[in-house]
Amino acid sequence: MDERRMVRVSKYLARHLRHDPQRIGLTLDAGGWVEVAELLRAAAEHGFTITPEELKEVVAANDKRRYAIEDGRIRASQGHSVPVELDLPALEPPEVLYHGTVGRFVTAIRREGLRPMSRHHVHLSPDRETATRVGARRGAPVVLVVAAGMMHADGHVFRRSANGVWLADHVPPGYLRFPS
Ligand code: HQG
């Protein structure tokens, strides 16, 4: 499969496994899972045919491991806007994590800290490079340093999604370091 097709299939999966399953008549279970066969059938019925081989390839080759397949079912590993309970265990984070954003959000972030916005959690990256890429999706990236160890010591809960993204409910501004 070429890169363009791969991206199209991956975006189609993100749309329907994270945000809008109803658009193609899918219902996710409480954990966000749906039968692979049902997904492929619903997609084909709505004019976007994905072969089982393509699906496997996208799930396996996806550099960000956005999707997980288990027992014939598939779900997005994170990033949902529909309500799902991922049942990720709380975990002790590394001392620092990073968050990539852009300059136009910085004033609000200084005031309110990091909020989940349209997602269920604030997404934090394990390294500066990843955070830089995340920020660059929107413009010139600005990387914030998150005092995750201190937050954890203060009782904030951290989880890590299947693809290594760290999740928190909120990061108060006092735990953020902004570039000068
Ligand atoms: C910003 C991609 C104003 C926040 C990536 C971000 C990631 C605030 C935007 C994953 C704010 C939300 C997540 C506040 C946060 N005021 N703006 N108080 N608090 N923001 O897309 O972190 O492709 O929901 O800085 O690789 O950019 O989906 O979050 O700019 O892992 O797999 O509000 O999405 O992965 O944007 O990205 P998003 P994100 P996928």
Side-chain angles (χ1 to χ4, degrees), residues 18 64 66 78 99-102 105 108-109 112-119 123 134 137-138 163 165:
R18 289 171 167 182
K64 290 192 60 194
R66 288 190 175 91
Q78 40 112 131
H99 179 83
T101 188
V102 282
F105 297 151
I109 295 172
E112 326 174 323
L114 293 171
R115 297 196 295 118
M117 311 309 280
S118 64
R119 305 193 191 240
H123 288 220
V134 172
R137 285 152 53 238
R138 297 202 160 79
N163 61 348
V165 175

